[in-house]
Amino acid sequence: MLVATAFSAAGTISGKSYHTASGVALTLIAFGTAVGLAAVARGLARARRWSRTPALLAQVFAGAYAFYLVGGHRADWGVPTLILAAAGLAALLAPASFKALNRGP
């Protein structure tokens, strides 16, 4: 997401964005998403119970977008995205993850 944020910011600054306001908005949304994903990753690394649901949703959305990419004849991006999303789901649903993320307070 940080790479996407950088591309969005560069496009906005160079004037390649369709509208400057939409380029700024997309850059801010991408940055906010990157911060949110970093918080979820930190929560998973610390085995916080709250982090499982947003991590699962991120994997589901990535998988859905992967199907969109494959359907749009971008299998070069869609297939690796689908593989990574499936691996992320498998890791989050593994018994060791359930044990770590279901600990009592």
Side-chain angles (χ1 to χ4, degrees):
M1 279 312 300
L2 286 177
V3 172
T5 302
F7 278 126
S8 179
T12 301
I13 291 169
S14 68
K16 294 181 180 176
S17 180
Y18 183 67
H19 289 308
T20 303
S22 65
V24 169
L26 286 174
T27 301
L28 292 174
I29 290 169
F31 181 74
T33 303
V35 169
L37 288 174
V40 170
R42 187 174 179 185
L44 283 174
R46 294 179 176 205
R48 303 288 190 228
R49 293 175 62 184
W50 62 265
S51 63
R52 182 188 317 148
T53 300
L56 284 169
L57 286 174
Q59 300 308 311
V60 169
F61 289 137
Y65 190 65
F67 280 112
Y68 173 76
L69 286 171
V70 170
H73 306 292
R74 292 303 310 249
D76 54 334
W77 286 91
V79 172
T81 303
L82 186 59
I83 291 169
L84 288 173
L89 278 173
L92 287 166
L93 297 175
S97 293
F98 269 102
K99 183 178 179 184
L101 295 171
N102 280 337
R103 291 183 300 163

